[in-house]
Amino acid sequence: MFKKIVKCYDYKFIAALIVLSLIGLVMVYSASMVTAVSRYGVEGDYFYEKQKLALIAGFFFFCVSAFIPYKIYREKKILKILLTTVITLLALVLIFGHTAGNAQSWLILGPIRIQPLEFTKLTIIVYLSAVFANKQEYIDDLKRAIIPPILIVFFICFLIALQPDYGGILLILGTVSAIVLCSGISKKSMLKIALLGIVGIIVMLVVLLVTGHIDTVFSPVRLARFTGYLHPFANQQGNGYQLVNSYLAIGTGGLTGEGLGQGVQKAGYLPESHTDFIMAVIAEELGFWGVLLVLGLLFFIILQGLKIARRCSDPFGALLAIGISVMIGIQAFVNLGAVTGLLPITGVTLPFVSYGGSSLTLLLFAVGVLANISMFNKYEKRYKNKVSDPRALKSVK
C-alpha cells in the first residue's frame, strides 16, 4: 500500500517547488550580503544561513503535511485549537510584539522570531473550508452558514489592523473572497455577503476611532507608502525612493542581467532588497530570463493547485486547495505589483523566494497539504475504482 501511495504524488509539482525554493535561497544570499554587513554589522552570509535553516525546517513540515491525511484538519477539535491559537498569538503580539517595518507584528522567543500572520492565513483557509464543506446542505442560510465564520474573520482582521498590517489584511480578504465564491452559495447570497463586508469595514473603522487607534493605523508615515507609488519621481529621496531604485534595478538588468552577485542596487540603494524587493534584484542580476523562470515556476505551482481543486470530489479538499492556491497567487501578485509600481508598497513578500522564515515554513507546510490532496485524489481514482469494478474483482479471484 505504501508503494501505491508514493506513486500517486505529483512529482512535477514537488520538483517545481524545490527548484523555486533553491533559487530563492541563492538570491537571498546575493541580495543580503551587503545589507548584512553594512546595516546589521553581521557576517555576509547571516541571512542566507537563517533562510537555509528555515528551508530545511520548511521541507520537513512539507513532508509531514504531505503524508498526514488532509481530512484530519476538518475535525472540530482541530479547528478549535487552531482558532484559539491564532487569536491568542495575535493578542500577544499586540502586547509583547516587536516592531519592524512600522508594524508590531513579530513575537521574539529567544533566537526564534515568529510572525503570527503567516499561521493566521493558513488557519483561516482551513477553518472556512471546513465550515463551508460541512454546511453544504444549507449554504445559503446566512445566519447559520455564513455570518458566524465571517464575523470571526473580521475579528481576526481587526486584530491585524491594530498592528497594523495592511498587506496581511488584503491577502486574507482576497483569499476569503475566493473561498466564499467557490463554496456553492447563490449570487443573491454573495450580494448579501458583500454588503455585510462593507458594514463590517465601517464598524471596524468606527471601533478604531472610538478606541483611539485610528491615528496609529492611518498615520502619515504608513499612508505615505500608499501615496508614494503614484508619483515616485516627484519625491525620489522620500516616499518614492524605494520604487525609483526598483525601477533602476529592473531597467539595468535587460535580457540577461548583470550576472549573479553583480547587482548594484542592493548595495545600500534598494531597501529591503532581500525581502519585499527581491524580484528587483533578480531582474538586475538574472535579467528577463531569470524573472521569467521564477514567474513560470510560481505560475506552475498555482495552476497545479487549482487543477488539484478542480479534480477533487471532496468539497473540503477542493476548497482547501483553492484557498492555498489563491493565497499564493494573491501574495505573488501584490508583491510584484509593489515592485513594479502597479500597487502600493505593503510589505508583502514573494512566496518561496523572499527572505522570511515564518513565511517560507508555513508556505511549504501549506503546499504539502496540496500535495496530500492531490495524492488522495489519484489514489482513489487509480486503485479504489479498480476494486469497485466487477471485472477487477473477477481478476482478483
Side-chain angles (χ1 to χ4, degrees):
M1 182 178 178
F2 178 76
K3 289 183 178 180
K4 292 180 179 178
I5 289 175
V6 171
K7 288 181 180 179
C8 291
Y9 281 101
D10 187 344
Y11 290 101
K12 290 182 181 178
F13 175 79
I14 296 172
L17 182 66
I18 292 173
V19 172
L20 182 61
S21 299
L22 291 177
I23 290 174
L25 182 63
V26 172
M27 292 313 303
V28 164
Y29 180 58
S30 177
S32 66
M33 286 187 297
V34 176
T35 302
V37 176
S38 62
R39 184 174 174 182
Y40 296 96
V42 294
E43 296 293 331
D45 62 349
Y46 175 77
F47 292 106
Y48 164 77
E49 291 295 336
K50 293 190 72 173
Q51 186 77 346
K52 184 172 70 173
L53 290 176
L55 184 60
I56 294 170
F59 271 109
F60 169 77
F61 286 115
F62 169 84
C63 294
V64 171
S65 60
F67 278 95
I68 294 177
Y70 72 90
K71 294 182 181 180
I72 193 174
Y73 306 117
R74 192 173 181 173
E75 295 182 7
K76 290 184 178 180
K77 291 182 179 179
I78 299 294
L79 293 175
K80 287 181 180 179
I81 292 172
L82 290 174
L83 281 177
T84 303
T85 303
V86 160
I87 293 173
T88 302
L89 288 174
L90 290 175
L92 288 174
V93 83
L94 294 175
I95 302 171
F96 306 106
H98 172 71
T99 300
N102 296 317
Q104 188 173 327
S105 54
W106 294 88
L107 283 175
I108 300 180
L109 306 172
I112 302 174
R113 289 165 56 98
I114 301 173
Q115 190 175 21
L117 173 65
E118 301 301 332
F119 185 57
T120 301
K121 290 186 294 187
L122 184 56
T123 297
I124 288 177
I125 292 171
V126 173
Y127 170 67
L128 289 182
S129 300
V131 168
F132 292 142
N134 292 335
K135 298 182 179 183
Q136 284 295 303
E137 294 181 0
Y138 51 94
I139 192 66
D140 283 316
D141 189 335
L142 290 183
K143 290 183 179 180
R144 296 170 62 195
I146 303 297
I147 293 179
I150 294 299
L151 287 177
I152 291 176
V153 170
F154 269 108
F155 176 69
I156 290 173
C157 286
F158 174 73
L159 294 177
I160 296 172
L162 294 177
Q163 296 179 9
D165 190 332
Y166 303 124
I169 294 175
L170 179 64
L171 289 176
I172 288 173
L173 293 180
T175 306
V176 168
S177 300
I179 295 174
V180 170
L181 288 172
C182 299
S183 63
I185 64 174
S186 64
K187 293 181 180 179
K188 186 177 180 181
S189 296
M190 288 182 191
L191 180 60
K192 292 179 179 178
I193 294 171
L195 293 174
L196 181 65
I198 294 172
V199 172
I201 292 172
I202 294 172
V203 170
M204 188 184 299
L205 292 174
V206 171
V207 172
L208 289 172
L209 182 63
V210 172
T211 57
H213 287 90
I214 194 74
D215 293 333
T216 304
V217 175
F218 296 102
S219 66
V221 175
R222 294 188 176 95
L223 290 177
R225 299 178 71 180
F226 285 83
T227 58
Y229 87 103
L230 295 173
H231 305 287
F233 291 97
N235 190 6
Q236 297 183 34
Q237 298 302 318
N239 299 335
Y241 179 80
Q242 197 165 11
L243 186 54
V244 168
N245 282 283
S246 177
Y247 286 155
L248 289 173
I250 294 171
T252 303
L255 280 175
T256 57
E258 296 293 303
L260 183 62
Q262 302 302 311
V264 175
Q265 294 303 314
K266 66 186 180 184
Y269 299 102
L270 182 62
E272 310 303 332
S273 58
H274 58 301
T275 56
D276 306 355
F277 278 76
I278 196 168
M279 183 55 88
V281 178
I282 293 173
E284 184 180 15
E285 297 189 352
L286 303 183
F288 172 78
W289 300 117
V291 171
L292 189 64
L293 174 61
V294 172
L295 293 183
L297 290 169
L298 265 173
F299 181 76
F300 178 77
I301 291 169
I302 295 166
L303 185 63
Q304 285 297 105
L306 294 175
K307 283 183 178 180
I308 291 168
R310 185 171 59 85
R311 295 169 182 169
C312 186
S313 57
D314 173 30
F316 173 63
L319 289 174
L320 193 56
I322 288 170
I324 294 171
S325 303
V326 169
M327 175 187 71
I328 297 171
I330 293 177
Q331 186 168 331
F333 176 77
V334 172
N335 174 270
L336 295 171
V339 171
T340 55
L342 297 176
L343 295 174
I345 299 171
T346 55
V348 174
T349 56
L350 187 64
F352 308 107
V353 181
S354 294
Y355 172 79
S358 297
S359 176
L360 182 61
T361 303
L362 266 295
L363 280 170
L364 287 170
F365 181 88
V367 292
V369 175
L370 269 181
N372 186 262
I373 297 171
S374 174
M375 182 274 291
F376 266 97
N377 288 340
K378 288 185 179 180
Y379 182 82
E380 289 179 354
K381 290 178 181 179
R382 186 176 296 180
Y383 297 107
K384 288 194 175 183
N385 289 344
K386 288 183 179 180
V387 175
S388 60
D389 188 346
R391 290 173 295 180
L393 290 173
K394 287 180 182 179
S395 63
V396 170
K397 291 180 181 179

